[in-house]
Amino acid sequence: MVKIVNVFKYIFLTIAATVTIWPILFVVLGSFKTNQELIAGGGLLPKKWMVSNYAEVWGGMDFSFYFFNSFVFACIAAILSALLGSMGGYVFARSDFPGKRLLYALVIGLLFISLGPMTLFPKFEMAVNWGLNSNIFTLPLLTATGLGASLFLYEGYIKSLGREIDEAAVVDGAGYYKRYFSIFLPLMIPIISTFFIIEFVAEWNNYIFPLVMTIGNPQLKTITVAVVEMRSMGDGAAAWNLLMTGSSISIIPVLIVFVVMNRQIVEGLSQGAVKG
């Protein structure tokens, strides 16, 4: 009976893996085809490997510049979100103040509300009024929101650390802020790294926010915006080969991050889900 269950388990996992990997293979292999071959259809493998597609997209269409914009945007946004989440989790785990439970409930409640479309216009107005959308280094300042999930897991992680740590630090004369920066921040490195990776991938794939914020500033376009704009670059028809090439360039960093850091992501989330 156990063997039969294992057989069905492997069959299900194989089907799930195939359904997940097939579109990625189609895009990556399609990036080496000519546009005519893609439109005509055919097999998965290219008849003629067009490596020149990558040279044309990377150099001729300034994708190296858009790649840099995406990297800066995603890195700064991920760092801000990870650090702010750790600060919020520390406050809720180690402080008592009036309205704490209500505020915590409101923050967690936002997990069930899609705030993206609701806050897009106010963020755009703020970016224009404060000049934040004129520089790729200041644009990510508007993305450090939506900390509900990270706050919940950070709080659980800190609560799993014994109160003896605080008591020993107080005896040594460490104040509230020194305890956070000198003791708890280093201890939270595993879960901070996890959220950095998650936020980096999320912001790297972000499309609507960079699209709206870079209106009038095309030099700030990220790689996701540039990829979508490639749909109309063909002569009378969409340049599907170049579109797939741009898509491949945009997904390769995300795939590398997940393949290399998969275990760290799972371990970090598991540690944050345990409350002491």
Side-chain angles (χ1 to χ4, degrees):
M1 183 65 182
V2 175
K3 291 183 178 180
I4 296 176
V5 172
N6 287 334
V7 169
F8 279 105
K9 186 186 299 183
Y10 283 116
I11 292 175
F12 174 78
L13 291 175
T14 302
I15 294 174
T18 303
V19 171
T20 303
I21 296 173
W22 183 264
I24 299 175
L25 283 177
F26 183 83
V27 171
V28 173
L29 294 176
S31 67
F32 292 98
K33 297 180 180 181
T34 63
N35 199 41
Q36 291 74 16
E37 183 180 353
L38 279 171
I39 295 175
L44 184 64
L45 293 175
K47 296 178 181 178
K48 181 181 179 182
W49 292 81
M50 299 293 294
V51 183
S52 59
N53 288 343
Y54 281 86
E56 182 177 355
V57 170
W58 184 259
M61 297 182 179
D62 294 328
F63 253 62
S64 57
F65 184 71
Y66 301 140
F67 191 95
F68 172 78
N69 284 346
S70 287
F71 183 79
V72 172
F73 177 79
C75 274
I76 295 178
I79 291 172
L80 288 175
S81 296
L83 287 179
L84 288 176
S86 70
M87 293 178 183
Y90 174 73
V91 170
F92 277 103
R94 288 296 193 257
S95 301
D96 290 316
F97 52 88
K100 174 183 173 179
R101 291 187 177 181
L102 176 61
L103 181 60
Y104 186 79
L106 290 175
V107 173
I108 299 300
L110 293 177
L111 289 172
F112 304 97
I113 303 175
S114 178
L115 294 177
M118 298 170 58
T119 60
L120 192 58
F121 181 73
K123 285 182 178 180
F124 179 74
E125 287 287 311
M126 187 184 300
V128 172
N129 294 333
W130 292 1
L132 298 178
N133 63 334
S134 60
N135 193 303
I136 192 61
F137 292 94
T138 57
L139 192 60
L141 296 176
L142 296 171
T143 65
T145 56
L147 301 175
S150 63
L151 182 66
F152 175 76
L153 292 175
Y154 275 122
E155 185 201 19
Y157 184 83
I158 296 173
K159 282 187 174 181
S160 68
L161 304 175
R163 284 278 184 177
E164 297 81 8
I165 298 176
D166 299 76
E167 295 171 358
V170 170
V171 171
D172 291 337
Y176 185 81
Y177 296 103
K178 187 175 182 180
R179 293 200 300 272
Y180 168 77
F181 286 104
S182 301
I183 300 175
F184 286 96
L185 186 60
L187 291 175
M188 286 191 288
I189 292 299
I191 194 169
I192 288 176
S193 302
T194 297
F195 272 103
F196 172 82
I197 296 169
I198 293 174
E199 289 296 328
F200 178 86
V201 172
E203 297 304 333
W204 180 275
N205 293 326
N206 198 338
Y207 171 67
I208 296 297
F209 182 84
L211 173 66
V212 174
M213 295 299 169
T214 57
I215 293 177
N217 294 302
Q219 72 278 7
L220 302 182
K221 285 191 300 187
T222 59
I223 199 168
T224 52
V225 178
V227 166
V228 175
E229 290 182 351
M230 292 175 65
R231 290 180 302 177
S232 57
M233 297 189 67
D235 297 327
W240 293 108
N241 60 330
L242 301 183
L243 179 60
M244 290 189 178
T245 302
S247 299
S248 298
I249 293 174
S250 68
I251 64 176
I252 286 174
V254 177
L255 290 177
I256 293 175
V257 167
F258 268 113
V259 170
V260 175
M261 306 298 293
N262 180 51
R263 178 173 296 179
Q264 287 80 354
I265 294 174
V266 174
E267 289 178 355
L269 291 176
S270 299
Q271 290 173 344
V274 177
K275 285 197 174 186

